[in-house]
Amino acid sequence: MFHYLRIPDEYGYFQLDVFLLTRLYGVIIEVKNIYGTISFDDMGQMIRTANEIEEGFHNPLEQIAVQEYRLRKWLKQKRYSTNDRTLREKVIHEAQLLSKLEKIANKYEKTSLNTRQWNKLTEKLIEAHTEQKNDILNKYGIHREQLLKGVFCYACKLPSMVRIHGGWKCTQCGEMSPDAHMAAFKGYYLLHGNMVRNREAREFFSVTSPDIVKQLLQKGSFEKLGNGSATKYVMNADDWVKS
């Protein structure tokens, strides 16, 4: 399952909130958090009724149709075939999602991809994903090379923490911390986006050991995408980045 895939194509970029890819099928899931009663008028506009007030929204079904078209075209360019099946009852409540996916799975008896093909397509999607550039550095005219690298000490506010015996110790003031790396992950997220590779985290933390950084990424309970050198970890802002 992929979250917030952003893929370049000839029209620019298209983004998928959630893309569930199995060896049997692929499903695009667009998430909308809207209260009230939802309906669609004859013109295809989505209407939300709440407290006896009607409000119009862009039709998410049209958005899904565009995403599907662009994804199919991208897959074709990568030499993957797709069928023309589309879903009925495309708008459902979140409580119905699991049962809906089970119904979809029951419709497919023959796998479309073998394990090798599935792994290869997964890697291609991860490689194609392009983070939307954060404007903070550009806004203030700061280059990546100018950023202070390292894990910062809570006490003396210097990037002088080193990894010792499963924790962190400041080489300047001697302060100890079990989780100083989490603030560094937050900083990376805010500056560079929600996906990070082991190599990128090592550079940002000023840590040379890939094994130590791998352990920190795993302890962070970040979602892992891909394998080997293509591995990326997804940091979820809703879990630990304060607004």
Side-chain angles (χ1 to χ4, degrees):
M1 183 179 291
F2 298 91
H3 296 272
Y4 307 116
L5 269 179
R6 184 171 179 266
I7 299 175
D9 64 3
E10 61 190 287
Y11 308 107
Y13 294 88
F14 64 96
Q15 181 167 313
L16 311 177
D17 274 8
V18 179
F19 180 51
L20 176 61
L21 176 66
T22 75
R23 291 173 56 197
L24 294 169
Y25 61 87
V27 176
I28 300 171
I29 302 174
E30 181 73 19
V31 180
K32 299 296 182 185
N33 185 18
I34 302 175
Y35 70 93
T37 301
I38 303 300
S39 61
F40 294 86
D41 64 17
D42 295 336
M43 300 297 292
Q45 186 179 36
M46 185 174 75
I47 306 296
R48 187 266 303 278
T49 304
N51 300 322
E52 299 183 354
I53 298 175
E54 291 188 351
E55 185 177 0
F57 292 85
H58 291 298
N59 191 336
L61 297 179
E62 294 180 0
Q63 180 182 354
I64 284 285
V66 172
Q67 292 171 344
E68 180 184 352
Y69 169 79
R70 294 173 73 172
L71 178 60
R72 285 182 184 274
K73 194 166 185 178
W74 183 87
L75 289 169
K76 185 177 181 180
Q77 291 172 347
K78 302 299 179 182
R79 299 185 178 180
Y80 288 95
S81 61
T82 62
N83 60 46
D84 295 327
R85 292 190 183 183
T86 57
L87 300 179
R88 296 180 179 179
E89 299 178 353
K90 293 184 178 181
V91 181
I92 61 173
H93 191 274
E94 62 176 346
Q96 299 172 291
L97 180 59
L98 183 58
S99 61
K100 184 67 173 179
L101 292 176
E102 289 177 347
K103 289 179 181 178
I104 295 171
N106 291 334
K107 292 181 179 179
Y108 294 89
E109 297 180 356
K110 184 179 179 181
T111 58
S112 300
L113 300 170
N114 59 38
T115 301
R116 180 178 173 278
Q117 291 170 328
W118 182 86
N119 287 333
K120 192 66 177 177
L121 178 53
T122 298
E123 290 177 3
K124 286 183 180 294
L125 287 166
I126 294 171
E127 290 171 0
H129 172 75
T130 306
E131 280 292 320
Q132 189 166 9
K133 290 185 178 180
N134 198 310
D135 291 334
I136 292 178
L137 299 184
N138 290 332
K139 180 179 180 180
Y140 295 101
I142 300 172
H143 298 286
R144 291 176 68 107
E145 296 76 16
Q146 295 176 290
L147 294 174
L148 291 176
K149 305 295 197 305
V151 177
F152 279 76
C153 173
Y154 294 123
C156 67
K157 311 301 182 185
L158 293 174
S160 50
M161 300 292 273
V162 294
R163 190 74 173 168
I164 296 178
H165 304 307
W168 297 91
K169 182 177 181 179
C170 180
T171 58
Q172 297 297 313
C173 69
E175 181 75 10
M176 299 291 294
S177 171
D179 59 359
H181 57 280
M182 291 308 295
F185 278 129
K186 293 178 184 180
Y188 186 96
Y189 174 91
L190 293 171
L191 290 170
H192 303 301
N194 71 328
M195 283 197 177
V196 60
R197 291 185 173 92
N198 188 301
R199 171 179 52 80
E200 295 165 337
R202 293 201 310 270
E203 178 186 356
F204 195 75
F205 288 15
S206 288
V207 173
T208 58
S209 170
D211 292 332
I212 288 177
V213 171
K214 180 179 179 181
Q215 184 183 55
L216 296 176
L217 288 163
Q218 291 174 341
K219 283 186 175 181
S221 299
F222 304 135
E223 181 182 0
K224 179 183 175 184
L225 299 178
N227 295 290
S229 60
T231 300
K232 294 181 181 180
Y233 294 85
V234 181
M235 299 179 286
N236 190 339
D238 294 335
D239 291 337
W240 49 266
V241 176
K242 295 181 180 179
S243 59

